[in-house]
Amino acid sequence: MKTTCPYCGVGCGVEIRADAQGWHVSGDLQHPASAGRLCVKGAALAETLIPAGRLLWPLVDGRRVSWQSALDSVAERLQKIIQQHGPDAVAFYASGQLLTEDYYVANKLMKGFIGSGNIDTNSRLCMASAVTGYKRALGADAVPCCYEDFAHAEVIVLAGSNAAWTHPVAYQRLVQAKQQNPALRVVVIDPRRSASCDLADLHLPLAPGSDGALFNGLLHWLAQGGYGDSAMQPHLAQVPETLAAAAGWTSERVAQTCQLPQQDIQAFYRLFAAHQRVLTLWCMGINQSSSGSDKCNAILNAHLFSGKIGQPGSGPFSLTGQPNAMGGREVGGLANQLAAQMDFTPENSDRLKRFWQSDRVATQPGLKAVDLFQAIGRGEVKAVWIMGTNPAVSLPDGNAVAQALQRCELVIVSDVMRATDTSAFADILLPAQAWGEKNGTVTNSERCISRQRAFIPPQGEARPDWWMLAQVAQRLGYGAAFSWQHPAEIFREHAALSGFENHGRRAFDISGLAQLSNNEWDDLQPLQWPVNGDYPQGCARLFTTPRFYHPDGKARLLPVTPAGPRVAVSRSWPLMMNTGRIRDQWHTMTRTGLVPRLLQHYSEPFVALHPDDALRYGIWPDALVRIQSRHGWMLTRAILTEDQTPGTLFVPMHWNQQYCAEGNVDRLVAPWRCEHSGQPESKQTPVRIQPWRSDWQGTLFLRDNVTPAAVNWWCRIPVADGIARFSLAHQGDPRRWLQTMLKPEWTLQQAGDEQAFYHLIAWERGEIQLAFYAAARRPVTDDALIAAAFQQPPASSESRFALLAGRAVLGEARGKTICSCFGVGEQQITAAIRQGALSCAALGQQLKCGTNCGSCLPELKKLIEQHAPQQAEAVSGRSE
Ligand SMILES: Nc1nc2c(c(=O)[nH]1)N[C@H]1C(S)=C(S)[C@@H](COP(=O)(O)OP(=O)(O)OC[C@H]3O[C@@H](n4cnc5c(=O)[nH]c(N)nc54)[C@H](O)[C@@H]3O)O[C@H]1N2
Ligand SMILES: Nc1nc2c(c(=O)[nH]1)N[C@H]1C(S)=C(S)[C@@H](COP(=O)(O)OP(=O)(O)OC[C@H]3O[C@@H](n4cnc5c(=O)[nH]c(N)nc54)[C@H](O)[C@@H]3O)O[C@H]1N2
Ligand code: SF4
Ligand SMILES: [Mo]
């Protein structure tokens, strides 16, 4: 069975098959986005098909009820609020992880029948600035490029994208493009040296948030050098005023603003100017900014002015984050658009009235995500239905979001998991079908529509999101418009709407799919929109002729006044905190957190900082630190690395209260947002940092059903089926703290008696129940050895002693996991390097690391650089 990966916007094809051992995933060789590749997250998908933690049936006010009763409650309570306070008192908050069919129904119900614009989505935190940028420049939210372009490009710019970790399969295609064409030049623009810098010929570690200046300077350089494309000029509007706005941005001034050497800036500008086939791939480092839309337009300006768009290997290519971020943009998931990429105009509202046969279609945009939760906090919006997203973790100003959800009269959450930071606030919990159970379509970064197919029965009473929405619509009295029995019916309606009175005016048109039978929809092969009379098989590349979607057919340059972060660092808040993703985790960890091997690369929340800053603030490697902003604080582990520029921190966005105490970074992030797109500035928060002292730190291994007693800091790390490891930090005597965890029937084996050094193993009938190691700093333990002992208790007294010591007596520890696919650790790799494995290929041959998904190749290369013996370095230098 073929389906599509539910993680990132690359949208890889997955092939799934079952045998006696269970489900197996592999890459779908035929899928155009991935041609058989999968990254480590995709490759671990079968391990997420487990019932652990699932929400299995509807809950109303904490009680299990039938679906009928839950849906009645949703409808009655929404109806009551709408009657008393009007339709704008209710809202939906949806997600780029819904299927297009789900998303279409949610939007239709809110904007078409409840009659409010109040449906927004987590894509507001993600793609909103890119949408605004494209619409302002091209007249439509139409991504011009496709992955095929990688193979044709002469220069590829990665701006604010760590694709090596966040779009790994697309990144592998970049690696391949470079192998096939060594002349390809790659420029990475990122304040930190990310894993993607592995491929960079030029890395520009610019000052946080200064990209607007860099790209304005580029436009100025292009204009000065006469690099404007003469064929494109008649198709461009607002050129003089845009060039005038860029005129002051000499490379000298850019160098000052971006804090970069002038020659590096000029090297970038020269590369961009000298080649026609230039692709700029951008992501959250650009979008998540208080001036994100203008940064997107600054990129678009440079491409349009120099005619680098619409041809193989060239164009402004915004990478989408979620599997169906693009689908959400198609159906109108954003509060400021209607459906089928229509804007809020009276004509469009009217068009929808006719198409949906409703007289209630919204005529005003609704509240955007951050504004929506602020309105909930003020009590203006009284009900919210959250579907497929975890805003208590992912929205900025997390403490205010929690307060808002706390006071909200009616919180409905449909999710696949029972316990999330958001579901803690739910009055009504609805169990949704998960990947593998749900059935529909998604659209990836390159506009490729592909199918997510169901291949397993739903857990418990889980139902599709579209079905819940349609059931509630029927109870609200809109039955006729929501009477679908199958998702293909919804897809056909969505496809028909995209062509309805379109006449070539709206880029999004898949009317060619409006007649698919249910079977044809089921078999639908991946294809790129538009799909219509002109392009019956879809279309990979847009704007191959310079006709754009503004009424005059021209593209618009947009004058940009570069702005830095909304709030600069200061004496009280001296460090700029950046946030983002790690390789093996997905967002709030509800799925990837279940898979032990995905928690081996990084198992705890951390802050990466430069060693000079560590010295200044008295922070040693691996210490626990407290980070504080004007909005909140967190506790996390310190990693010292020269990949950070001094004065900047990087903290992953993933950890939350299900996995860690005080590890939610969004409690610190300010709610500042771009005035055009409403997208928050998740990448730049001024903060301060200090060591956080505890009397002891511990490692605790437990059988899963036990939770640790009250402790100042904890972090939960599932290590194997039914066994969890906790990192702990607390005050007082660890022996006293541990007392509350012990049962009288256990036999205890103990070592150490000083306050901060204490080991204990608890046994019951020959099985280990608990293992505890405490020390003044983080105890050094061989976690794989201890976890294994829970499953296979050690037989010899020597190995029981080793267990109490927490370390293997014989053999070497593996160290931090680098290759998650084959579980290969750093120490194994460095040992192999020292013994002469001096290339990724040699390491792969010896240890298998890097031979499956390839996500760890940048790290392998770095380890080779660091650990290769001197003489060997010279050899590898010559061979290059
Ligand atoms: N492993 C993994 N992959 C994912 C996801 C995941 O959760 N885990 N999520 C998916 C989603 S929804 C999204 S949106 C994408 C996000 O994909 P990316 O945008 O690639 O990921 P981030 O880590 O958020 O940020 C990218 C980079 O922006 C840099 N940056 C920060 N500030 C600036 C700046 O001022 N200028 C520039 N030029 N760069 C800056 C950061 O240092 C970081 O390296 O990833 C998708 N893929
Ligand atoms: N500081 C900081 N914050 C950020 C970001 C950042 O870079 N830095 N990035 C932002 C970005 S780009 C994004 S996209 C967001 C992501 O943030 P969220 O959307 O909040 O994160 P997820 O963990 O993906 O949440 C998805 C939820 O939906 C559930 N779910 C999964 N499948 C289904 C389904 O089919 N139906 C239903 N009903 N539920 C389902 C999951 O269990 C989970 O609870 O975070 C944003 N927040
Ligand atoms: S790159 Fe990885 S996470 Fe993204 S779609 Fe492909 S397999 Fe899934
Ligand atoms: Mo995202």
Side-chain angles (χ1 to χ4, degrees):
M1 164 84 80
K2 287 184 175 183
T3 182
T4 312
C5 176
Y7 296 121
C8 82
V10 179
C12 296
V14 174
E15 193 122 33
I16 181 114
R17 66 193 161 76
D19 65 18
Q21 273 85 51
W23 291 99
H24 301 274
V25 299
S26 54
D28 171 3
L29 287 162
Q30 264 88 48
H31 199 288
S34 50
R37 297 182 188 85
L38 290 178
C39 76
V40 58
K41 295 184 298 304
L45 270 168
E47 291 148 73
T48 68
L49 298 172
I50 51 172
R54 286 289 298 271
L55 174 62
L56 296 173
W57 40 70
L59 295 167
V60 174
D61 302 325
R63 280 189 307 278
R64 179 178 179 178
V65 298
S66 69
W67 264 111
Q68 294 306 324
S69 154
L71 294 163
D72 289 345
S73 298
V74 172
E76 276 160 24
R77 294 186 193 184
L78 282 175
Q79 186 76 289
K80 196 168 139 233
I81 292 172
I82 294 168
Q83 275 166 357
Q84 278 183 1
H85 305 281
D88 290 331
V90 301
F92 291 168
Y93 185 56
S95 162
Q97 291 165 76
L98 296 175
L99 302 170
T100 298
E101 291 76 4
D102 301 325
Y103 233 144
Y104 176 85
V105 177
N107 185 59
K108 181 177 180 181
L109 176 55
M110 184 52 77
K111 294 208 187 101
F113 288 81
I114 292 176
S116 166
N118 281 347
I119 168 169
D120 210 45
T121 143
N122 61 4
S123 289
R124 182 69 60 196
L125 318 177
C126 183
M127 307 315 313
S129 297
V131 173
T132 305
Y134 280 128
K135 283 171 70 169
R136 294 194 299 189
L138 310 175
D141 177 19
V143 178
C145 314
C146 55
Y147 300 140
E148 251 293 296
D149 285 325
F150 297 1
H152 301 291
E154 298 163 316
V155 175
I156 293 182
V157 183
L158 281 170
S161 153
N162 181 17
W165 283 6
T166 54
H167 295 95
V169 166
Y171 184 79
Q172 289 309 318
R173 287 181 77 155
L174 292 179
V175 172
Q176 193 184 24
K178 183 133 190 186
Q179 277 162 358
Q180 282 165 1
N181 172 19
L184 169 65
R185 288 289 163 262
V186 177
V187 183
V188 174
I189 303 169
D190 195 313
R192 61 181 188 129
R193 190 161 63 211
S194 71
S196 305
C197 290
D198 178 42
L199 204 61
D201 298 288
L202 177 63
H203 172 215
L204 300 177
L206 78 183
S210 64
D211 303 77
L214 184 68
F215 281 95
N216 243 18
L218 172 61
L219 182 66
H220 179 56
W221 174 280
L222 294 169
Q224 291 293 94
Y227 292 104
D229 181 69
S230 51
M232 184 59 92
Q233 298 311 308
H235 306 284
L236 299 178
Q238 295 188 163
V239 178
E241 46 274 57
T242 306
L243 294 184
W249 290 93
T250 60
S251 49
E252 198 179 355
R253 185 168 166 210
V254 174
Q256 261 167 21
T257 307
C258 299
Q259 293 165 30
L260 290 170
Q262 204 175 327
Q263 67 265 28
D264 286 0
I265 292 170
Q266 291 177 350
F268 166 46
Y269 292 174
R270 267 197 296 272
L271 273 177
F272 194 101
H275 295 91
Q276 194 50 32
R277 286 179 279 138
V278 180
L279 266 182
T280 303
L281 309 181
W282 81 90
C283 211
M284 292 309 118
I286 299 292
N287 290 349
Q288 287 174 338
S289 151
S290 56
S291 57
S293 304
D294 283 357
K295 287 175 181 166
C296 293
N297 281 100
I299 293 173
L300 280 147
N301 285 343
H303 274 271
L304 285 165
F305 180 70
S306 58
K308 299 188 209 314
I309 185 170
Q311 305 306 321
S314 88
F317 193 172
S318 138
L319 296 172
T320 53
Q322 298 175 91
N324 202 28
M326 189 66 87
R329 286 150 72 168
E330 295 160 8
V331 302
L334 293 161
N336 52 328
Q337 54 185 54
L338 278 165
Q341 289 201 344
M342 283 182 254
D343 281 329
F344 272 95
T345 62
E347 304 80 66
N348 285 335
S349 292
D350 188 58
R351 185 168 294 123
L352 276 169
K353 272 186 191 167
R354 282 179 282 115
F355 187 83
W356 280 336
Q357 299 182 0
S358 165
D359 53 9
R360 315 171 64 89
V361 175
T363 53
Q364 296 293 327
L367 293 166
K368 303 187 181 98
V370 176
D371 308 81
L372 171 62
F373 280 81
Q374 290 179 346
I376 294 172
R378 290 190 303 269
E380 291 160 21
V381 170
K382 296 171 191 303
V384 62
W385 184 344
I386 296 163
M387 45 193 112
T389 175
N390 196 356
V393 184
S394 56
L395 275 173
D397 204 2
N399 289 319
V401 171
Q403 268 170 23
L405 285 168
Q406 184 72 54
R407 69 169 295 188
C408 185
E409 197 175 316
L410 174 60
V411 178
I412 304 159
V413 173
S414 44
D415 204 288
V416 301
M417 302 307 284
R418 169 67 187 84
T420 72
D421 290 14
T422 300
S423 71
F425 298 101
D427 300 289
I428 301 182
L429 265 172
L430 304 173
Q433 289 181 356
W435 182 80
E437 301 163 6
K438 59 183 183 176
N439 194 17
T441 55
V442 292
T443 312
N444 74 2
S445 291
E446 51 161 8
R447 292 171 280 101
C448 183
I449 300 172
S450 69
R451 290 268 291 108
Q452 267 191 28
R453 293 187 174 88
F455 54 87
I456 42 172
Q459 290 284 339
E461 298 173 6
R463 294 298 231 143
D465 288 286
W466 68 263
W467 178 87
M468 305 172 204
L469 287 154
Q471 288 290 317
V472 169
Q474 287 174 16
R475 285 166 172 77
L476 292 172
Y478 315 126
F482 292 83
S483 60
W484 313 283
Q485 301 299 313
H486 190 281
E489 297 166 42
I490 305 169
F491 185 85
R492 284 195 288 274
E493 182 177 317
H494 163 61
L497 175 59
S498 74
F500 184 62
E501 300 177 0
N502 184 325
H503 312 301
R505 283 198 292 262
R506 306 194 304 268
F508 176 67
D509 180 0
I510 55 165
S511 50
L513 302 173
Q515 308 297 330
L516 294 182
S517 68
N518 287 11
N519 284 340
E520 286 166 337
W521 175 86
D522 204 33
D523 289 340
L524 187 68
Q525 300 305 308
L527 84 179
Q528 285 165 277
W529 63 256
V531 187
N532 54 19
D534 293 339
Y535 303 101
Q537 302 306 319
C539 175
R541 202 170 283 114
L542 303 182
F543 309 110
T544 48
T545 53
R547 248 210 75 73
F548 301 93
Y549 287 93
H550 287 296
D552 58 5
K554 292 185 182 184
R556 291 231 145 106
L557 300 201
L558 193 99
V560 168
T561 308
R566 163 83 175 263
V567 178
V569 290
S570 59
R571 201 187 299 179
S572 312
W573 312 99
L575 297 165
M576 196 56 104
M577 183 183 71
N578 173 8
T579 63
R581 288 150 177 83
I582 59 171
R583 196 187 73 192
D584 293 0
Q585 284 304 318
W586 178 260
H587 293 167
T588 71
M589 307 169 73
T590 59
R591 189 193 302 271
T592 45
L594 301 172
V595 183
R597 74 180 160 111
L598 295 183
L599 272 162
Q600 290 174 350
H601 187 229
Y602 289 101
S603 54
E604 295 179 0
F606 65 86
V607 54
L609 75 164
H610 192 276
D612 292 352
D613 287 327
L615 203 63
R616 170 172 307 163
Y617 298 105
I619 292 161
W620 62 85
D622 218 32
L624 285 167
V625 294
R626 187 178 196 274
I627 313 176
Q628 163 105 49
S629 79
R630 286 183 184 81
H631 299 269
W633 59 274
M634 72 184 295
L635 298 179
T636 191
R637 192 80 72 182
I639 293 180
L640 276 46
T641 164
E642 292 186 355
D643 294 344
Q644 289 296 129
T645 26
T648 69
L649 308 177
F650 177 81
V651 181
M653 64 167 288
H654 308 288
W655 272 270
N656 57 75
Q657 291 173 64
Q658 310 307 312
Y659 284 90
C660 186
E662 318 302 353
N664 291 38
V665 71
D666 267 308
R667 290 188 186 162
L668 282 71
V669 176
W672 315 138
R673 51 213 179 274
C674 169
E675 61 172 308
H676 305 290
S677 68
Q679 181 155 354
E681 186 149 81
S682 321
K683 293 282 183 264
Q684 286 106 28
T685 308
V687 297
R688 56 178 173 240
I689 192 169
Q690 69 197 77
W692 180 76
R693 306 205 192 279
S694 60
D695 291 340
W696 57 270
Q697 293 193 29
T699 303
L700 173 71
F701 285 78
L702 284 176
R703 306 232 172 238
D704 234 353
N705 50 0
V706 192
T707 33
V711 59
N712 283 341
W713 185 82
W714 61 266
C715 176
R716 183 167 67 89
I717 305 142
V719 286
D721 204 14
I723 300 157
R725 171 161 69 91
F726 287 85
S727 278
L728 307 167
H730 201 48
Q731 315 301 344
D733 187 330
R735 287 167 298 185
R736 183 136 27 92
W737 177 80
L738 190 65
Q739 283 310 312
T740 55
M741 304 285 303
L742 302 176
K743 294 194 184 151
E745 61 269 30
W746 289 351
T747 312
L748 306 181
Q749 188 191 354
Q750 307 175 57
D753 45 17
E754 295 156 50
Q755 207 195 44
F757 170 74
Y758 182 59
H759 290 190
L760 179 145
I761 312 287
W763 299 82
E764 188 181 354
R765 279 180 254 109
E767 276 209 327
I768 302 171
Q769 302 303 319
L770 174 153
F772 179 71
Y773 308 86
R777 290 196 194 172
R778 192 221 293 255
V780 182
T781 49
D782 182 338
D783 298 329
L785 173 97
I786 302 163
F790 269 73
Q791 282 153 331
Q792 181 80 53
S796 70
S797 60
E798 193 190 22
S799 51
R800 273 197 295 274
F801 179 75
L803 185 66
L804 185 62
R807 258 172 283 181
V809 187
L810 299 169
E812 255 192 83
R814 293 180 318 130
K816 171 177 181 267
T817 301
I818 301 293
C819 170
S820 299
C821 293
F822 295 111
V824 187
E826 183 168 341
Q827 295 189 22
Q828 292 169 282
I829 296 167
T830 51
I833 295 170
R834 287 201 200 92
Q835 284 157 22
L838 294 177
S839 66
C840 292
L843 284 172
Q845 218 164 23
Q846 204 169 321
L847 300 168
K848 289 185 90 175
C849 51
T851 56
N852 186 38
C853 78
S855 305
C856 62
L857 290 172
E859 284 151 284
L860 293 181
K861 281 201 200 162
K862 214 162 147 184
L863 288 173
I864 294 172
E865 264 167 40
Q866 285 167 356
H867 297 281
Q870 285 297 310
Q871 181 197 358
E873 240 170 60
V875 173
S876 74
R878 259 203 307 276
S879 68
E880 259 176 357

